[in-house]
Amino acid sequence: MSRLAALVSIFARNFTHSPDKPRWVGMEGEFPVVSSNGEAVAYPVISQMYALLEQQGFALKKDADSGKIVYAERAGDIICTDLGYSTIEIAPAPAKDLFALNRSLTSLLRPLSQYFAEQDALILGYGIQPLSPPHRRLITPKSRYLFFKDWSANRFVSPEHGYDSDFLGITASSQTHVDVSRAEAVRVVNVLNGLAGLFIILHANSPIWQGNVDGRSGAMRELLWGQCFPNREEQIGMAAQFTDIKDYVRQLCAFKMQTVERNGQSFALPVTGSFFDFFAAESVDGRSVSGESRTLVPALEDIVNQAGYAWFNGRLAPKFGTVEARVCCQQPPGESLCSQALVLGLIENLTAAERLLNRFSWQDWRLLRTDALNQGFSARMQGESVLPLLAELLEIAANGLRQRAVGEETFLNPLRERLADRRSPADRAVLLFQQNGLLGLLNSLSLS
């Protein structure tokens, strides 16, 4: 067996969905936490949150390098922080339908909202910190994240404040996981990447940050990725179209190396070589965050960790055997699961979604994604309004959810209303901000 074939075998082993079983759906909901004046909450407030979770039966996990608590788990439910410590990530255990997932999310949010209210803080249904700028002090003390600065620059963030990768410490997305089979995995990931522009138009929700409206985009959290890693454009945003799962793994292997994991500890590797170069070597010298040097012997399992550095709009998650949709901003209160509904519906009606995708070239879809970031509902495809494509997208998803026969299509209602009004959450946020200022915006976005 060739090296690539061996890596593909490890990578694909968990993509085992069977068509005679219901699909499981999961989410990673990222929520900014701010003080009552809109600034990112102080770190001790997050530390005390973990103490509360431990009292409620969550098991806590510390980072191997920093010794700080970075993770809480109970019966498959996970609460942690994203790259920014003031971004709470809530990942309920995978559910058989969206109603169950919504109940789990609500039950996890309720005590957190109460706790933060007692700390004079708010959890926001929003895609970016509205006031605090990127800064190294906001980064979660987790070794994997602390290495990001090594692959970034200072084109936008001054050296005294941190690095450009610290933009990711203030953003928040609504990510969806759905289990898929090996045969359909790349078909699904192509749909999610190709249709990313349509997702952006419907879900944009991060137009205001550093206390001002940024006129470049209603989805600033997505736009900022390009500023974080300018030399790794092939790893971010809308991926190239993949031919099959072997092609997907081949492209992962071409990425510059970043880290490998050993016993829960991250080690950075020389960035001059690719994963293929690393895997072909007998051993490589790695470096921990604290500066410890270790000789590392490449292993087939390292491809699973490498997959986490594909920051595509849609990517495969070999650890879980799921496809992951990553392009959507966090959604407003009461609308948290509309992005999960759209993704799940498209996957359940995959052939129709592919017909929509194949009607235009990959370059057309790439151009639409750029136009969507800049123009929202005014974006155009080949000179024509994108509104009919949005309507078709929602109908494809609704039909897919109807096939599941549990009524989940109701979760698409916020998206239908946005299309009817031609107004995204970003458009609503700008209007609220202009009328009522930052505090008015915070009150409208608060989940408490």
Side-chain angles (χ1 to χ4, degrees), residues 127-129 132-134 152 155-157 163-172 206-210 214 216-230 236-237 311 329 369 373:
I128 198 167
Q129 280 286 340
S132 294
S152 193
R155 296 190 305 158
F156 303 99
V157 177
Y163 298 86
D164 292 345
S165 58
D166 293 341
F167 280 120
L168 302 181
I170 61 171
T171 63
S206 52
I208 299 156
W209 66 302
Q210 298 192 89
D214 193 317
R216 289 178 290 172
S217 178
M220 282 305 302
R221 63 155 294 276
E222 179 67 13
L223 200 62
L224 290 174
W225 274 98
Q227 297 184 10
C228 293
F229 304 111
I236 61 176
W311 296 302
C329 296
R369 179 180 175 276
L373 286 166

Side-chain angles (χ1 to χ4, degrees), residues 304-382:
V304 176
N305 181 70
Q306 178 75 350
Y309 290 111
W311 296 302
F312 303 142
N313 292 155
R315 72 179 179 187
L316 298 178
K319 181 178 180 180
F320 308 113
T322 61
V323 65
E324 180 184 357
R326 299 169 43 81
V327 73
C328 298
C329 296
Q330 184 52 253
Q331 296 300 283
E335 304 176 14
S336 297
L337 263 68
C338 60
S339 53
Q340 283 72 37
L342 182 58
V343 173
L344 180 60
L346 292 176
I347 293 174
E348 294 286 21
N349 199 6
L350 182 57
T351 299
E354 286 180 313
R355 282 199 296 267
L356 172 59
L357 176 69
N358 293 333
R359 198 178 308 158
F360 301 94
S361 72
W362 201 255
Q363 181 61 17
D364 285 333
W365 288 114
R366 193 176 291 280
L367 291 172
L368 176 63
R369 179 180 175 276
T370 299
D371 203 25
L373 286 166
N374 299 329
Q375 302 298 326
F377 280 98
S378 298
R380 307 183 76 80
M381 172 68 92
Q382 293 186 346

Side-chain angles (χ1 to χ4, degrees), residues 80-346:
C80 58
T81 58
D82 194 53
L83 193 141
Y85 76 75
S86 59
T87 303
I88 300 301
E89 183 174 296
I90 301 177
K96 290 185 177 180
D97 61 62
L98 293 171
F99 292 102
L101 186 65
N102 191 47
R103 288 193 295 271
S104 296
L105 176 64
T106 300
S107 67
L108 292 170
L109 275 169
R110 188 178 299 115
L112 289 176
S113 296
Q114 180 179 346
Y115 164 73
F116 286 120
E118 294 169 353
Q119 309 302 314
D120 196 27
L122 304 170
I123 304 179
L124 303 182
Y126 191 55
I128 198 167
Q129 280 286 340
L131 187 57
S132 294
H135 199 286
R136 64 166 61 90
R137 65 178 175 81
L138 297 178
I139 302 304
T140 294
K142 186 176 181 180
S143 56
R144 181 175 181 269
Y145 298 148
L146 297 176
F147 280 124
F148 277 31
K149 61 182 176 60
D150 294 348
W151 314 310
S152 193
N154 288 110
R155 296 190 305 158
F156 303 99
V157 177
S158 63
E160 60 266 30
H161 292 155
Y163 298 86
D164 292 345
S165 58
D166 293 341
F167 280 120
L168 302 181
I170 61 171
T171 63
S173 65
S174 179
Q175 299 169 10
T176 305
H177 283 265
V178 180
D179 70 317
V180 293
S181 68
R182 174 171 175 165
E184 66 191 353
V186 167
R187 294 173 62 198
V188 173
V189 87
N190 281 336
V191 164
L192 295 179
N193 277 297
L195 302 182
L198 301 181
F199 274 77
I200 289 168
I201 293 168
L202 290 167
H203 295 88
N205 192 30
S206 52
I208 299 156
W209 66 302
Q210 298 192 89
N212 292 291
V213 176
D214 193 317
R216 289 178 290 172
S217 178
M220 282 305 302
R221 63 155 294 276
E222 179 67 13
L223 200 62
L224 290 174
W225 274 98
Q227 297 184 10
C228 293
F229 304 111
N231 297 323
R232 294 173 181 263
E233 293 182 355
E234 74 282 2
Q235 294 176 235
I236 61 176
M238 181 178 165
Q241 192 168 19
F242 302 104
T243 57
D244 53 28
I245 203 162
K246 182 178 180 180
D247 183 39
Y248 189 98
V249 174
R250 182 188 295 111
Q251 293 195 41
L252 290 183
C253 291
F255 293 169
K256 297 174 184 176
M257 277 305 297
Q258 299 192 202
T259 68
V260 295
E261 304 287 326
R262 294 293 184 268
N263 298 319
Q265 189 174 16
S266 294
F267 291 88
L269 301 171
V271 297
T272 53
S274 67
F275 182 88
F276 265 138
D277 296 328
F278 162 72
F279 193 68
E282 291 186 4
S283 64
V284 176
D285 290 334
R287 171 180 57 83
S288 71
V289 168
S290 62
E292 172 193 356
S293 180
R294 180 178 297 186
T295 299
L296 304 168
V297 177
L300 287 170
E301 292 285 347
D302 291 327
I303 191 63
V304 176
N305 181 70
Q306 178 75 350
Y309 290 111
W311 296 302
F312 303 142
N313 292 155
R315 72 179 179 187
L316 298 178
K319 181 178 180 180
F320 308 113
T322 61
V323 65
E324 180 184 357
R326 299 169 43 81
V327 73
C328 298
C329 296
Q330 184 52 253
Q331 296 300 283
E335 304 176 14
S336 297
L337 263 68
C338 60
S339 53
Q340 283 72 37
L342 182 58
V343 173
L344 180 60
L346 292 176

Side-chain angles (χ1 to χ4, degrees), residues 20 29 33 52 57 62-63 77 87 93-94 181 196 204 209 236 242 247 254 345 383 385 421 446:
D20 60 348
V33 183
L52 171 67
K62 294 182 178 180
D63 180 71
D77 296 330
T87 303
S181 68
W209 66 302
I236 61 176
F242 302 104
D247 183 39
S385 170
D421 295 340
S446 173

